[in-house]
Amino acid sequence: MRALGIILAGGNSNRMKELSEKRAIAAMPIAGSYRCIDFPLSSMSNSHIQKVAVLTQYNSRSLNEHLMSSKWWDFGRKQGGLYVFTPTVTSTNNWWYRGTADAIYQNLKWLKESHEPYVIIASGDCVYKLDFNKVLEYHIAKRADITIVCTECHDDDPNRFGVLRMNEDFRIEEFEEKPMVSDSNLISTGIYVVRRRHLIEMLERCAEEGRYDLVKDIFIRYKNLKRIYGYKINTYWSNIATVESYYRTNMDFLRPEIRDYFFNQYPEVYSKIDDLPPAKYNPGNMVRNSLISSGCIINGQVENSILFKDVYVGNNCVIKNSIVLNNVYLGDNTHIENCIVESRDTIRANSYYCGEDRIKIVIEKNERYAF
Amino acid sequence: MIAMILAGGQGSRLGVLTARMAKPAVEFGGKYRIIDFPLSNCINSGIDTVGVLTQYQPLKLNSHIGIGIPWDLDRNVGGVSVLPPYEKSTDTEWYTGTANAIYQNLAYMESYHPDYVLILGGDHIYKMDYEVMLDYHKSNHADVTVACMPVPLEEASRFGIMITDGHGRITEFEEKPEHPRSNLASMGIYIFSWQTLKESLIALKDQQGCDFGKHILPYCKDAGRRLFAYQFNGYWKDVGTLGSYWQANMELIDIVPEFNLYEEYWKIYTKGDIIRPQYVSSEGSVDRCIIGEGTEIYGEVRNSVIGPGVTICKGAVVQDSIIMRNSRVGPGAHISKAIVAEEAQIGDNVEIGIGEEAPNVLNPAIYAWGLATIGEGTVIPEGMKIGKNTVVSGKTLPEDYPDGFLPGGGALLKEGGELP
């Protein structure tokens, strides 16, 4: 294979509020059965990238648990495979990853010892499917030094991303990271293609200068020096790093065209297999326009919602426009509306939660007794 | 202890469901296949060396088992091995009986130097800790232990019956006796001490159709070996007929089913190749069902077991039925009390399970209980009507149905169909 994969999954965002207390964003559950990192990982696997490193740092237990076995994404290989790199203390370095560039720099040895000519860098907090081979071909055809995959931002705030402007040849002329105001809605998806040797050079120089960020300190600074091209995608792409966008991304899966794109069209998205029984619909349930995952037992009413794995919905419950994460027990007569219920929780019977003007995050942290 | 699972039988009483796959590969309970139960029992009991003996239509079974990943049976030493019959320099033969099949794999067993060998059928639904049975075997210094369960005396004449003394030692057996003297029925699960097994298999190697119940156990008893009956009181279901297969599936949708798949303890594992969640649309409704991953429901489903990847279209009504993997029920179709096997295509406005019951013309003993059975990959064209006690399989065309109706007791077996 011609490229290595690097997935940056170390980040945290305070805009995820309480949801990030438990896990890295890349480990956020998506669409009932998946976690966010499944999307870049599956895209890499389906693009026949056989050697992938996941760089984790913040709150990585949940992510490490998910990646414990690499076989689900077909990375259980003798050649290549899945590498999970967390910061380590060495005789010369006792820093955390101080930024995206530093994260890769601290694992430079892995990059140097590989032989693949290109590197594909992606972030672990986006939901999409992409054939990286096409991006690579484009990169080679354009004789680019760096290719940045970009997309038009419609229902999100473009100013929380890197904002770009390209000329008619798709060469990037302007690139600003999280600008206060901008008149372009073309944003970087955090997916980059670069020659491996080239990346090593830039990282080494960057580290010497005490700079640590891949975008601010490398791509933007090299903008006029290097040939940086944009590869524009029109397929579904969504970043989940705020509560609103996380909620919206999940709710997108209630739309038939989105489900068809991710679930029925080639290629598939893979995930770790949990051995849960089929979902069970008991008398008194009423489910409308909802996604239900395996292991759920439903006795109440569920509307326009997503139930993740192993959710128990008690009698006379009403769940509307909500997301209930993995392994939650909802006691009888509970009302949940416009909420995200945090995973592994037990909600007492007769509770009432309703997000009024914004999405409410429900966390009760009750003890669960055997029922 | 190593385990040997006998999974080569056709299971002819499941009719068209086993036309293209062995009985242990038939789907069960919304996402499983029957063999998942003994395989999961093995790994949950701490047995990590399992031989699966296949013979009849093994393709589905082979691809399901693979290298045993879903059951954690992909091991450096041991793990799962699929053992088909093989050619030998002299007297090559098929597996002619249960014990003959084990005999032909003496070399496989010997390579693991087992102290005990567990022999299982691949076609029952139950959860059982074989280690407890092994403890019983050891504490009795037994040579053979037969797992038995008490059955109602009136049904006992369908089983192999064990007669024991006060200490559980087997003194006599009766194979399907007319007037049973005991209600302890053999479950077809045996633990043998290795020397006893090896010695008796070799002694009876020329016996035609050598069978554990018919030949090996009597031989061991006559040779003065210590045979014990291990009484099992949990849930155990033989799903050998379409009626009992349907019944066992329907029991799973009870609010607290006798056989509970939802317990944390003693999980059942299967190859989950469909991951995506299921979707119920705004028009869809589901009542008293279990439903597998990735199924999309736009119609109405009641009292049913629906497999993974199924589509129930708008206006369709499904009740008291089993619909397996990747089947599609077209808009406006009505299905009641039917078993629809994998990859079937039920056309728009088809009606299944209507009219009067009549004995099936093909085999009234197999296709009974008022069930309509639709084989794997069957295509049923738009608007056709199908009665009770019927069987349909293959790519059927409108002209196959006189007046668009296959009356009760009818059979329609054709070639082709939607095979993956």
Side-chain angles (χ1 to χ4, degrees), chain B residues 48-49 72-80 112:
Chain B
D48 60 8
T49 305
D72 265 346
L73 285 169
D74 50 327
R75 299 282 164 142
N76 284 337
V77 178
V80 66
Y112 291 104

Side-chain angles (χ1 to χ4, degrees), chain B residues 1-7 37-53 83 98 102 108-109 112 114-122 126 128-135 137 143-148 187-195 197-198 201 212 230 266:
Chain B
M1 182 159 72
I2 67 169
M4 302 291 276
I5 300 183
L6 298 157
F37 296 89
L39 275 177
S40 301
N41 285 338
C42 280
I43 194 71
N44 288 340
S45 305
I47 301 170
D48 60 8
T49 305
V50 181
V52 179
L53 293 91
L83 305 168
T98 52
I102 302 289
Y108 168 80
M109 294 185 286
Y112 291 104
D115 294 322
Y116 306 98
V117 179
L118 172 70
I119 313 267
L120 303 170
Y126 63 109
M128 180 171 173
D129 190 342
Y130 304 128
E131 210 162 14
V132 177
M133 183 174 165
L134 180 64
D135 289 342
H137 180 86
D143 296 307
V144 187
T145 299
V146 183
C148 298
M187 297 159 68
I189 300 169
Y190 314 102
I191 291 180
F192 281 85
S193 294
W194 170 239
Q195 285 309 326
L197 179 65
K198 186 180 171 187
L201 286 174
F212 278 101
Y230 168 73
W266 214 266

Side-chain angles (χ1 to χ4, degrees), chain B residues 59-90:
Chain B
L59 177 60
K60 268 260 155 65
L61 206 50
N62 286 344
S63 54
H64 182 66
I65 294 172
I67 59 167
I69 287 176
W71 305 273
D72 265 346
L73 285 169
D74 50 327
R75 299 282 164 142
N76 284 337
V77 178
V80 66
S81 309
V82 177
L83 305 168
Y86 54 94
E87 198 177 354
K88 304 165 197 68
S89 53
T90 56

